[in-house]
Amino acid sequence: MKELVVDLEAESKEIRKRYRALLRACKPTLQRGDKQMIRKAFDMALDSHMDMRRKSGEPYIYHPIAVAQIAAEEIGLGTTSIVCAMLHDVVEDTDISLEDIEREFGKKVTRIIDGLTKISGIFDPNSSMQAENFRKMLLTLADDVRVILIKLADRLHNMRTMDFMPRDKQLKIASETSYLYAPLAHRLGLYAIKSELEDLSMKYTDPDTYKFIAKKLNEKKAERERFVYNFVEPIKEILNEQGVKANVFGRPKSIHSIWNKMRKKSIPFEEVYDLFAIRIIIDSEPENEKADCWKAYSIVTDLYRPNPDRLRDWVSSPKANGYESLHTTVMGPKGQWVEVQIRTVRMNEIAEKGFAAHWKYKESNSDSGLDQWIHKVREILSNPEPNALDFLDDFKMNLFSDEIFIFTPKGALIQLPHNATALDFAFEIHSDLGASCIGAKVNHKLVPLSHQLQNGDQVEIITSSKQTPKEDWLNFVVTAKAKSKIKSALKEEKRRVAEDGKEILERKLKSLKITYNTENINKLTMFFKYPSSQELFYNVAKGTIDIKNLKEFVLSEKTIEQQNGQQFNSHISGLVEKINKKDYETLLIGDDLQKIDYTLSPCCNPIPGDDVFGFITVNEGIKIHRTNCPNAAKLMANYGYRIVKAKWTSQKELAFLTGLHIVGIDDVGLVNKITKVISDDFKVNIRSITISSNEGIFEGSIMIFVNDTAHLENLIEHLKQIKGITGITRFDSDN
Ligand code: MN
């Protein structure tokens, strides 16, 4: 290891400098006595982290100062939060106890730091309970949202300074960030932080694409700035003439959102038209806000033709996270669509800083969507789902989705996620209404429970006292609330049936002269391969197990002991053994990069040259995914302990399946030209080819076998030279 040489005096100067910068950031919210509080927290943190250093070699205190600065500057939090941010790691990492904190800073600060310490298990690389920890973190919403906001600031700073971490830790932390923290930031309305978290996460999970898009953006920067200038000047002029005070500028979209668009639409970078958005931020009096926004809208659409399908009015109905803005897409002077976002200074502050800004303006907007959301989170959490991972999936879907607005028969407005059904609506109003729902009237027309609602529908629920929740309801409801209510009703029902099964089994064992005790029940459960004794009882009641099977059990009882030894770990070492006998040359797996058997995951079809990792599955051995696979983040965030390193070695003989999406102008013989390049020139095998042609536009999907990424890129280059082809992209999956 390299010896660390530090100039302590220079370092101490730098610490003071950073502290003063923090104080400047806090200034807008400082009241009498606040400065002393922050100073006290700083002194305590400095003292207790004295001998600690970060992975980069820097003094540890840089981290809490930076977290406090993010809390103040980028989230807009006040003194209590700044003090807590400064002390967020002391109880966890130093000798300071919660009692010490309470003595110096009082109850409020102590409660928040306690919350921060409790949820820090999320960072524990050995913990396989991330989902459960995440639920704990959300539970703290009920105590104090500041815990979550400071945790986000902490995560943001860790993501900004992750270069010194080992690669596998980077991957895991980055995945967790895109899977849990970014959606949470989104839901809390922290758009700037959400975008930065997504970009930073992509920088580590998909470095090549990240660098590629960053480079492309940089190349076209001057051209883009010229375009924005020409687009914006006439708008400014007319706003000025009409006496509307506003700031008009162009804002680049995040790398991650550009990549998302490329992937979703299968288009190359060059075809993403909205690389930036135009923002009009109006300096408006509270009573004129809405009118001023529409005035600006009218000015913009007088100058440029709007796309009527792309008007979004979140001024009249704000999003659940508090976001207010008017979005329109207009045709720019060069025939290019441009998104324009119109909002007031107040709305903009909420858009950038989310919850904290909301708090500040709360008086004028007391019935905020965010309050409703926090209320809803508490409601869902108070009915905990035994499987934390299921809960997390349901919950995350709700974090991501956009809302629709549905009216009750009396005209009250209910917010639901996009794709919500009539049954979701029923559960949203009351769990009893959901449980007894047999149908609904949507806009006075009778529809089934699974009917998907549209924005603005008016819904009346029809119930029956004979109705009970059904298993298949879970296939179409989308809200976390409906899911958790249905699951707990089904569980209750199952428990009741299992009780009956238990009695039946007791009688049967008696007649077979087997003692009814825990040991034998456990053996039986194992023998029939059920996950729990309750499952065993349930299946007895349902008749899945009959006397004949029980006799089988009696006969095989002696062999059971041996079967139990089959555990997960020996399962893996078995795999290693199996492979060492074969001669694989292509992929090295694990910390010591051994040759182990593996399969390539069909969800992203990795080929040699791709950045990949291995995932230990329960039944199918090790599966290889690309680090930018759509499922990767979820796997790494939830099952970090099952991730193994994987690396390609060079090889030329084997062929790997991948897909190409080709777009072009239809021309007789285009298909022939494509297949000629692929089969004749490159001698690549085609597995399948799907072509469609619509009004002169040619679209084709081709599944081919290639050796590695270099081979694939070379092929794409040659295909691009065929006249008529306008775009070629690789796609992830063949299903
Ligand atoms: Mn920290």
Side-chain angles (χ1 to χ4, degrees):
M1 203 178 240
K2 210 176 69 186
E3 202 183 324
L4 194 66
V5 184
V6 283
D7 179 346
L8 286 176
E9 204 172 315
E11 228 173 55
S12 151
K13 249 191 195 155
E14 178 65 23
I15 294 171
R16 305 285 140 183
K17 198 175 123 204
R18 291 185 187 210
Y19 175 66
R20 280 195 303 276
L22 166 67
L23 279 185
R24 277 195 300 279
C26 302
K27 214 162 191 183
T29 60
L30 284 189
Q31 288 175 356
R32 204 143 41 103
D34 284 358
K35 219 169 157 176
Q36 286 89 316
M37 272 275 272
I38 296 174
R39 176 76 204 201
K40 202 158 83 172
F42 169 68
D43 286 340
M44 186 187 250
L46 183 62
D47 195 48
S48 59
H49 290 302
M50 183 68 93
D51 300 321
M52 294 166 63
R53 288 187 178 270
R54 305 198 81 208
K55 276 247 156 51
S56 58
E58 290 178 332
Y60 194 84
I61 189 73
Y62 287 3
H63 171 62
I65 295 178
V67 175
Q69 184 143 3
I70 292 170
E73 217 162 36
E74 297 174 53
I75 311 183
L77 296 172
T79 302
T80 305
S81 308
I82 290 158
V83 166
C84 294
M86 190 70 94
L87 298 171
H88 77 271
D89 280 329
V90 298
V91 175
E92 171 104 359
D93 297 340
T94 77
D95 296 335
I96 307 252
S97 68
L98 275 179
E99 288 74 41
D100 298 331
I101 303 270
E102 180 160 357
R103 198 174 51 244
E104 298 293 327
F105 297 96
K107 276 216 163 62
K108 201 161 56 179
V109 169
T110 310
R111 250 211 328 271
I112 295 175
I113 293 186
D114 187 28
L116 283 163
T117 310
K118 276 189 187 134
I119 59 177
S120 69
I122 249 183
F123 292 92
D124 183 359
N126 305 315
S127 162
S128 57
M129 296 289 290
Q130 280 90 350
E132 184 53 38
N133 285 326
F134 186 67
R135 190 165 91 191
K136 266 190 222 146
M137 180 158 101
L138 291 172
L139 262 169
T140 60
L141 269 175
D143 293 342
D144 199 321
V145 189
R146 283 175 290 195
V147 175
I148 309 248
L149 295 171
I150 295 168
K151 201 78 215 175
L152 277 169
D154 185 26
R155 174 54 61 118
L156 180 57
H157 185 246
N158 284 331
M159 286 294 294
R160 281 176 181 169
T161 53
M162 209 161 56
D163 283 343
F164 293 91
M165 289 275 200
R167 173 84 179 131
D168 56 332
K169 282 238 173 78
Q170 287 176 344
L171 271 180
K172 187 179 168 297
I173 294 175
S175 306
E176 230 173 64
T177 299
S178 68
Y179 187 67
L180 301 176
Y181 288 84
L184 193 60
H186 179 86
R187 205 52 162 111
L188 290 167
L190 296 155
Y191 284 97
I193 289 183
K194 172 221 164 206
S195 306
E196 191 180 343
L197 286 176
E198 281 174 346
D199 272 9
L200 285 169
S201 170
M202 187 180 163
K203 186 176 147 194
Y204 292 101
T205 55
D206 195 0
D208 293 344
T209 315
Y210 181 86
K211 278 184 221 143
F212 169 80
I213 295 176
K215 193 173 140 247
K216 286 272 185 186
L217 277 175
N218 208 24
E219 281 167 10
K220 293 279 158 75
K221 202 169 166 215
E223 186 185 317
R224 212 163 44 241
E225 277 167 358
R226 231 175 5 255
F227 179 90
V228 168
Y229 179 83
N230 291 327
F231 184 91
V232 152
E233 275 314 296
I235 301 177
K236 277 184 172 169
E237 233 166 74
I238 303 181
L239 281 169
N240 210 1
E241 271 167 30
Q242 303 206 4
V244 181
K245 259 193 278 166
N247 192 3
V248 188
F249 55 94
R251 203 186 148 88
K253 294 247 167 119
S254 74
I255 290 178
H256 180 264
S257 70
I258 293 170
W259 171 229
N260 248 353
K261 197 146 284 175
M262 289 166 65
R263 260 223 292 228
K264 250 193 215 149
K265 299 193 174 166
S266 272
I267 51 175
F269 176 85
E270 285 72 21
E271 282 171 35
V272 179
Y273 65 82
D274 47 355
L275 296 172
F276 60 90
I278 299 294
R279 270 196 199 153
I280 304 179
I281 312 291
I282 309 169
D283 198 350
S284 183
E285 294 301 320
E287 62 274 19
N288 299 332
E289 284 193 292
K290 194 170 171 180
D292 282 347
C293 287
W294 285 104
K295 197 166 174 183
Y297 172 82
S298 148
I299 290 170
V300 171
T301 51
D302 278 348
L303 285 165
Y304 307 107
R305 191 168 57 79
N307 180 340
D309 295 335
R310 305 216 27 114
L311 173 63
R312 300 281 179 275
D313 173 12
W314 289 300
V315 170
S316 308
S317 331
K319 284 194 187 186
N321 62 16
Y323 184 79
E324 293 172 70
S325 194
L326 204 56
H327 290 195
T328 179
T329 300
V330 299
M331 185 59 86
K334 286 184 181 159
Q336 177 191 25
W337 290 112
V338 179
E339 183 178 297
V340 183
Q341 307 173 346
I342 303 166
R343 53 199 188 225
T344 64
V345 174
R346 178 191 66 83
M347 296 173 186
N348 190 50
E349 200 169 338
I350 289 175
E352 305 257 275
K353 294 183 180 168
F355 181 79
H358 224 285
W359 199 255
K360 190 166 136 196
Y361 291 105
K362 211 168 166 248
E363 273 76 41
S364 59
N365 188 8
S366 63
D367 193 21
S368 73
L370 187 75
D371 287 346
Q372 284 174 26
W373 182 68
I374 289 174
H375 177 76
K376 211 179 281 173
V377 170
R378 284 182 200 150
E379 216 175 30
I380 296 167
L381 290 169
S382 65
N383 189 0
E385 165 58 37
N387 182 344
L389 209 57
D390 272 3
F391 164 83
L392 192 59
D393 269 348
D394 295 350
F395 191 82
K396 234 175 66 74
M397 244 177 71
N398 281 239
L399 282 179
F400 269 127
S401 50
D402 274 330
E403 304 86 22
I404 52 173
F405 295 90
I406 305 298
F407 293 97
T408 68
K410 284 183 182 155
L413 206 54
I414 302 283
Q415 242 174 39
L416 285 170
H418 176 69
N419 285 339
T421 61
L423 189 57
D424 284 300
F425 174 83
F427 273 105
E428 196 58 35
I429 293 192
H430 198 281
S431 42
D432 292 343
L433 196 65
S436 58
C437 179
I438 52 167
K441 277 185 182 169
V442 172
N443 307 324
H444 306 292
K445 221 181 107 210
L446 200 63
V447 298
L449 297 176
S450 58
H451 178 84
Q452 277 192 3
L453 302 175
Q454 303 294 319
N455 209 359
D457 278 348
Q458 187 166 39
V459 182
E460 184 187 340
I461 295 299
I462 305 162
T463 60
S464 157
S465 58
K466 298 214 169 57
Q467 180 68 299
T468 53
K470 303 283 182 289
E471 187 94 38
D472 77 300
W473 287 8
L474 291 170
N475 297 332
F476 56 80
V477 294
V478 300
T479 57
K481 185 174 176 181
K483 281 194 178 168
S484 85
K485 294 279 180 199
I486 294 168
K487 280 179 193 168
S488 65
L490 290 172
K491 224 179 64 195
E492 184 48 40
E493 170 69 9
K494 194 161 191 177
R495 204 188 52 75
R496 220 184 37 71
V497 175
E499 278 301 308
D500 295 344
K502 193 173 167 188
E503 276 174 34
I504 298 170
L505 187 62
E506 240 182 300
R507 282 200 302 275
K508 280 193 178 164
L509 289 181
K510 214 170 166 188
S511 71
L512 283 165
K513 309 224 173 347
I514 301 173
T515 340
Y516 182 92
N517 58 18
T518 320
E519 201 198 336
N520 279 334
I521 292 304
N522 285 343
K523 279 183 190 167
L524 265 171
T525 308
M526 213 91 85
F527 177 77
F528 289 110
K529 297 195 175 68
Y530 288 118
S532 66
S533 55
Q534 198 205 30
E535 204 70 28
L536 174 76
F537 299 146
Y538 178 79
N539 281 286
V540 168
K542 285 279 171 190
T544 332
I545 299 172
D546 62 14
I547 305 255
K548 209 178 88 216
N549 293 90
L550 277 178
K551 277 186 183 144
E552 241 172 73
F553 164 69
V554 180
L555 292 174
S556 69
E557 229 211 298
K558 286 169 203 123
T559 60
I560 286 183
E561 301 299 307
Q562 291 140 17
Q563 285 177 15
N564 296 346
Q566 287 283 344
Q567 285 301 325
F568 197 56
N569 283 338
S570 68
H571 173 62
I572 293 175
S573 61
L575 276 175
V576 175
E577 223 172 282
K578 198 165 115 204
I579 296 323
N580 285 341
K581 285 175 201 150
K582 284 195 202 167
D583 194 20
Y584 273 64
E585 286 291 313
T586 51
L587 196 65
L588 301 177
I589 294 171
D591 278 339
D592 39 0
L593 296 174
Q594 313 177 59
K595 291 171 192 170
I596 302 182
D597 202 1
Y598 62 89
T599 50
L600 297 169
S601 174
C603 61
C604 55
N605 285 323
I607 63 176
D610 282 332
D611 223 348
V612 290
F613 67 92
F615 182 72
I616 303 166
T617 64
V618 178
N619 298 318
E620 299 169 89
I622 292 177
K623 282 208 163 175
I624 302 300
H625 294 262
R626 287 155 67 183
T627 53
N628 62 1
C629 165
N631 297 319
K634 181 174 168 181
L635 295 177
M636 287 194 263
N638 288 310
Y639 305 103
Y641 60 105
R642 281 159 66 179
I643 301 295
V644 288
K645 246 188 251 170
K647 207 176 134 190
W648 298 100
T649 60
S650 72
Q651 68 95 30
K652 287 261 177 252
E653 292 75 36
L654 285 177
F656 293 83
L657 190 64
T658 190
L660 285 181
H661 186 244
I662 302 179
V663 188
I665 309 296
D666 203 3
D667 168 21
V668 189
L670 190 56
V671 178
N672 275 338
K673 286 178 201 157
I674 293 171
T675 51
K676 183 182 169 298
V677 169
I678 297 177
S679 319
D680 297 353
D681 301 355
F682 272 78
K683 308 269 180 263
V684 161
N685 282 325
I686 299 179
R687 187 174 95 165
S688 67
I689 183 161
T690 330
I691 306 274
S692 72
S693 177
N694 189 10
E695 290 174 27
I697 302 298
F698 164 96
E699 259 192 82
S701 295
I702 305 179
M703 298 301 295
I704 47 172
F705 290 97
V706 294
N707 299 132
D708 55 27
T709 46
H711 188 207
L712 178 65
E713 273 155 26
N714 197 2
L715 173 63
I716 290 176
E717 274 318 304
H718 278 79
L719 286 172
K720 272 187 182 160
Q721 280 157 24
I722 298 174
K723 203 172 141 262
I725 289 188
T726 57
I728 303 179
T729 44
R730 175 177 171 189
F731 62 85
D732 294 334
S733 157
D734 56 342
N735 44 39

